[in-house]
Each structure stands twice: as C-alpha cells, then as structure tokens.
Amino acid sequence: IATKTTLGGVKIGNNLSIDSNGVLSATTNGSSNITISNTLDNYEGNTLNDKMVAMFNDINTNHKNTPMIITLPNGVIEITSDLRAVGWTNKIFIGNTYLYYKNCNAIEFIQCMHCNFYIHASSTSNLDIANGNILGLINPSSVASLTKRGYKITDCSYNKFEFNSIIGFTNGIEVYSEYGAKGCFYNNIYFTAIWRCQRPMIFKNGKASDDTSSQSGWITEIYVHGGMFDCDDGILIGQEVENRPTNEPSDNYQGLKFYNVQQIYTDLKEKD
C-alpha cells in the first residue's frame, strides 16, 4: 500500500491478469462487457502463417462470442492455409499489413455478426517482393488462369467489411448464402480497388452439403461502397444465365445497393 514515502504495488482486480514479464492483460469470465485484446504474439508457431492458423482455430473454438480487438502486425504476412472465421461476434479485426495468399484462398467469414473487419493494406495472390512489386500486380494476360478466390462472406449479418486493394483472384469478393435458415443481410462492404481479378464481386445463394433447412438462402440489404475495379468481367448477381436452376427464386436477391462503384476500362491486354 502506498504511503508518502513508499511506492505501493499494483493490486490486480477482477478480469485482469499479470504475467511473469509484468504484462497486464484483460481476461474473460464469460461476461459480454469485457473486451480483450488479441495479437499473433499470443500464439505459438514457426511462421506467421502458423500463428494465424492457431489464432483462428482458437477463436473459432473458444472465443466466438468474446468481445475482442484483434490486431495483426505491420509488414507482410504470407498465408499458405485457408482461414475461416466461423461464428465470430463482437470482434474488431484490424490488419495494417500486406496479406499475401500463397496458393490458398483469402479468408472466409462464415455466420459472423456485429463485427468490424478492417484490412487496410493490400491483399494479393501474387507478391513479387524481390523485384520491388509490393503491390502484387500481375500481368493482365495471367488473369484468365487464376484459380484462387478472394474474400468470401457467407451467411453473415450486421457486419462492416473494409478492404483496401484486392489483387489477383478469380473473384475479388464473394457474398454467399449457403444455409437457408441464416441468409446474408445488412452488411456494409467497402473497398478501394479490385485489380487483375477475373470478376470483382459475385453474389450467389446455394445449398451447403450439411444444410438441412427447406428454404433457399437470402442475400438482401447488402451495401457496397466503392471503389474501382479493373477486371475481365463485371459484378454478377445470381447464377450465370446458362447455369441458373429453373427453380431459383428471383426475389432471393433484394435491396442490394452500390455506391460510387466504378469500372475502369483499359486496353492493357491488347498493348501487352
């Protein structure tokens, strides 16, 4: 206890802990009023990819409903494993980093609610750091051979997704409803630019293999704030006409709104 001549110690109260290095951290006891901080430093792994996998697995299993601020380190994170954020609620996910998806898909968000996902730096499937190509721009003639998808938003609601540049995927952003009882609705999606993708965005409903509901999925009230894109194809809503099932309801897509989304037409393929 402090006095006029003695410096007192720190008393650790409820929902707080201090480790052997003197680091004070918030802990959770199941209360929704406690927000904890999370970084890759909290996880073991030989690479940042290993730590990312460990973090996503830990949150998916143990902390889906824990209010949390998740901060990724600056720099470049090379990701080689498909990552899925499943059932996250009340999360703020901040990525001030270049996410390089090497031979894998970008993050899929599944049944997340009331989260803010901010991925501020570029996300790319092609990062040529050795030649100073930090943005990962690829030759336009390579677009048709792309095989990996960008960010997938599946049956999520009441979230804010904010992306900077998305470069070099088949689809830059995919919005899906795969579970009929859930649906994908009331999300705000922001992007600065989608470059060198086959298609910038796709909205589609379907039926997941483990979906036992009788209804088709809904995609409704999605607000897209652009953003420029330079892609081979435009935005697709629903199945391609030649592949559309005869029983696909046309009213499963309602209230989709696009603000300041611009397609940039270039002649780069012919010039190359």
Side-chain angles (χ1 to χ4, degrees):
I1 300 175
T3 68
K4 291 182 178 180
T5 58
T6 304
L7 180 64
V10 176
K11 185 176 182 180
I12 305 302
N14 295 331
N15 303 313
L16 294 172
S17 67
I18 189 167
D19 64 16
S20 59
N21 295 316
V23 177
L24 185 66
S25 303
T27 59
T28 178
N29 60 356
S31 170
S32 60
N33 296 321
I34 302 299
T35 299
I36 69 173
S37 297
N38 200 354
T39 69
L40 295 184
D41 293 335
N42 297 334
Y43 298 93
E44 299 292 332
N46 295 323
T47 66
L48 291 178
N49 177 79
D50 296 337
K51 293 183 177 184
M52 288 278 284
V53 171
M55 180 179 70
F56 273 71
N57 288 342
D58 177 43
I59 297 174
N60 290 343
T61 303
N62 303 309
H63 301 290
K64 288 184 178 181
N65 299 315
T66 304
M68 183 180 293
I69 299 175
I70 304 161
T71 306
L72 299 182
N74 295 332
V76 177
I77 298 181
E78 182 177 294
I79 301 173
T80 58
S81 307
D82 286 358
L83 298 174
R84 304 165 82 231
V86 184
W88 291 12
T89 63
N90 301 307
K91 303 284 189 297
I92 298 175
F93 183 89
I94 303 173
N96 292 310
T97 181
Y98 288 94
L99 298 181
Y100 169 33
Y101 296 94
K102 183 178 181 181
N103 299 320
C104 66
N105 297 307
I107 299 171
E108 181 179 9
F109 304 94
I110 303 174
Q111 298 178 16
C112 297
M113 296 179 64
H114 304 291
C115 295
N116 294 335
F117 298 100
Y118 300 97
I119 301 179
H120 291 297
S122 294
S123 303
T124 180
S125 64
N126 185 82
L127 196 60
D128 186 11
I129 303 175
N131 295 317
N133 188 9
I134 191 66
L135 293 179
L137 292 174
I138 63 175
N139 191 297
S141 63
S142 301
V143 172
S145 62
L146 298 173
T147 59
K148 301 303 179 183
R149 61 150 176 79
Y151 292 98
K152 186 175 181 181
I153 301 168
T154 304
D155 291 301
C156 294
S157 55
Y158 303 102
N159 300 288
K160 180 180 179 181
F161 298 90
E162 186 172 355
F163 307 104
N164 194 348
S165 297
I166 301 176
I167 306 167
F169 297 95
T170 47
N171 301 311
I173 300 173
E174 299 184 354
V175 181
Y176 271 61
S177 179
E178 295 185 351
Y179 297 86
K182 300 292 183 180
C184 198
F185 52 89
Y186 295 116
N187 296 293
N188 278 277
I189 301 173
Y190 295 80
F191 71 89
T192 301
I194 300 177
W195 301 121
R196 302 295 191 266
C197 294
Q198 184 69 33
R199 188 183 296 277
M201 297 187 70
I202 182 171
F203 299 80
K204 190 165 68 173
N205 61 39
K207 296 284 283 186
S209 58
D210 55 344
D211 179 13
T212 59
S213 63
S214 59
Q215 63 191 94
S216 299
W218 290 80
I219 296 179
T220 182
E221 306 302 330
I222 307 292
Y223 310 112
V224 179
H225 309 263
M228 301 176 291
F229 66 88
D230 174 16
C231 304
D232 281 2
D233 301 319
I235 296 172
L236 176 64
I237 300 175
Q239 304 280 357
E240 296 281 8
V241 174
E242 59 269 25
N243 299 323
R244 182 174 297 158
T246 56
N247 61 346
E248 182 187 41
S250 60
D251 62 351
N252 276 24
Y253 306 91
Q254 294 185 17
L256 304 183
K257 298 178 176 64
F258 300 86
Y259 303 96
N260 299 319
V261 177
Q262 304 176 49
Q263 182 172 11
I264 306 302
Y265 294 94
T266 65
D267 229 359
L268 291 176
K269 287 189 176 181
E270 294 181 7
K271 291 179 181 178
D272 289 343

